[in-house]
Amino acid sequence: MNTPVTEVGSVKTAHVDLCDKIFSALFYFRQPGDQTPGGDFDIYRWRRSPRFIKHRTMSRDVELVKTLKYEANAYACFLNSEQAVHGVSPRGITNVPRRYINFIAELR
């Protein structure tokens, strides 16, 4: 879970997962009655050749192409690569935590 939000913002801006991950998946468990905007899973594509600061991207280098809404029983799964740029949309102020399970397969 992500902690309650005291200031509008994103817990993860556009990035790729660390190179030890083969794939990642998210399964959302949004609570009934949670009407807080944001917390969605955003998918990006490169506007240029990939470049990173560690595993983060610069916002000017990517563009949003698809959003999976943060809602109960929403699921996203993807192979990790330099093309798998994703992030979490900014979430509004709330005491309600963002609930999800993150499934990953890792190598050493």
Side-chain angles (χ1 to χ4, degrees), residues 2-11 36 91-97:
N2 295 132
T3 57
V5 181
T6 58
E7 185 176 310
V8 175
S10 174
V11 293
T36 311
R91 186 157 156 82
I93 296 170
T94 181
N95 288 327
V96 181

Side-chain angles (χ1 to χ4, degrees), residues 67-86:
T67 297
L68 174 68
K69 290 290 183 194
Y70 171 53
E71 59 189 12
N73 300 317
Y75 177 78
C77 182
F78 57 93
L79 292 173
N80 188 31
S81 77
E82 68 181 16
Q83 299 300 318
V85 182
H86 60 283

Side-chain angles (χ1 to χ4, degrees), residues 3-86:
T3 57
V5 181
T6 58
E7 185 176 310
V8 175
S10 174
V11 293
K12 289 272 187 166
T13 58
H15 69 283
V16 296
D17 289 345
L18 296 174
C19 61
D20 63 347
K21 293 184 179 142
I22 300 169
F23 76 85
S24 293
L26 286 169
F27 186 63
Y28 286 144
F29 290 92
R30 187 173 194 147
Q31 294 182 50
D34 178 2
Q35 299 298 313
T36 311
D40 305 318
F41 181 76
D42 289 335
I43 302 167
Y44 297 86
R45 73 170 148 229
W46 290 102
R47 292 183 170 151
R48 54 165 324 237
S49 297
R51 63 180 177 170
F52 302 95
I53 299 171
K54 299 200 178 197
H55 65 286
R56 302 263 178 202
T57 67
M58 289 181 267
S59 59
R60 68 177 177 254
D61 289 351
V62 295
E63 63 183 330
L64 180 65
V65 293
K66 188 166 181 84
T67 297
L68 174 68
K69 290 290 183 194
Y70 171 53
E71 59 189 12
N73 300 317
Y75 177 78
C77 182
F78 57 93
L79 292 173
N80 188 31
S81 77
E82 68 181 16
Q83 299 300 318
V85 182
H86 60 283

